[in-house]
Amino acid sequence: MYLSSDSRTAARVSPPWLMVAMLLFAGAAPAHADSPASKGAPLVAAASDLKFALDEIVTRFARDTGIAPRVSYGSSGNLTRQIEQGAPFELFLSADEAYVARLADRGLTRDRGDLYAIGRIVLFAPHGSPLQPVPDLSSLEGWLEAGGTGKLAIANPEHAPYGRAAEQALRALGWWEAARPRLLYGENVAQAAQFASSGSADGGLIAHSLALAPALRDRGTFVMLPDTLHAPLRQRMALLRGASPAAERLYDYLRSPVGREVLRRYGFAVVEN
C-alpha cells in the first residue's frame, strides 16, 4: 500500500482493514526503558488467540503491580521454535499443551505448567459476505458447492493449533478436499481473523476469543463449531527456565479470579487447577 509522506493524508485514505490489522497485531506496549515499570518487566510469548484477553489482563496487572510485561504474539508452533532457539522469554502461553510438553521434555520450562483454558473455533463472516454463518453450517456447505473465487481464511495448520482444529473440523464434515483450493492461510489465527474480517476472504474459521473482541464483533457475525469436530484446544502455560519473580507474579495473576474472569469473558472455558 502506498503511504503518503503526509501522515494526515495517509490516515484519511487508509482502507478499513488497516485498522483491523493494527488492532489484531499490536502487542502489549512495552514499558519505556527508563520507566519504573520497565524494571524487571517479564518477556511473555503468547498464542495469538489470546491477543485481546491477555492485553486486558496485562493492563490490569500493570495497574495493580507497577510491572508492565512485554508480550509477543504468534502461533504456538513458531513461538516454541523461538524458545528452543534461545529466545529470552520467561513465560509461555500456548494454544496447544503439546508445545509446553515439548519444551518441558527438553528441560526448557520449570515444570509442566498449568492448563489455563480450553478454546473454541467459530465460523466468522463479515457483513455482506456470501458466506453467512448459520448454526447447522449449511451456508458453508453451500458456499463450497457453489464454487467461485472467494476464500476461507484459517491459520496455518502446520504450526497454529487453531488452524489444525479448523482442518480437523473440515475433514470431519467431509468438506476438506472441496475447501483446500479456496483456503487463505494466516501465519497465525490473528492474521486469519484479519483476513476474514477485512474482505480479503469471505469468512474464516477463527478463534472464538477473537470473534468476541471489539475489533471484530461489530464487523460481522459468527457461529460456534461443535467441539466434537476437532480435538480439544487445551491451552497450557508454563514458566520458562530462569523466569524472574515478576514473571512468577504474572503467572499467579493469570490464575487469579481477575485473570480467569477476563478469559471467560472472551469465550474461553476456564480450567480450575
Side-chain angles (χ1 to χ4, degrees), residues 207-234:
H208 186 206
S209 58
L210 298 179
L212 289 174
L216 269 75
R217 68 185 178 204
D218 296 329
R219 300 182 64 85
T221 58
F222 68 86
V223 63
M224 195 91 72
L225 267 66
D227 58 8
T228 54
L229 294 177
H230 58 85
L233 284 155
R234 293 169 56 86

Side-chain angles (χ1 to χ4, degrees), residues 36-114:
S38 71
K39 294 179 173 60
L43 186 59
V44 180
S48 62
D49 68 302
L50 292 166
K51 165 65 188 145
F52 296 101
L54 187 56
D55 276 2
E56 183 172 331
I57 291 171
V58 162
T59 298
R60 292 192 183 193
F61 178 76
R63 180 192 63 201
D64 293 345
T65 67
I67 300 168
R70 296 163 294 167
V71 184
S72 179
Y73 294 99
S75 71
S76 297
N78 283 342
L79 291 170
T80 297
R81 282 191 287 275
Q82 290 175 29
I83 293 167
E84 290 172 332
Q85 293 165 5
F89 294 115
E90 299 177 59
L91 173 59
F92 178 37
L93 291 94
S94 175
D96 181 349
E97 64 179 351
Y99 287 116
V100 171
R102 172 170 145 183
L103 294 175
D105 289 343
R106 296 194 58 181
L108 297 176
T109 63
R110 286 194 179 179
D111 53 30
R112 305 192 83 80
D114 284 296

Side-chain angles (χ1 to χ4, degrees), residues 227-252:
D227 58 8
T228 54
L229 294 177
H230 58 85
L233 284 155
R234 293 169 56 86
Q235 307 201 186
R236 185 171 289 269
M237 63 180 178
L239 288 164
L240 297 166
R241 197 169 54 190
S244 65
E248 294 172 359
R249 291 182 68 180
L250 177 58
Y251 188 89
D252 290 339

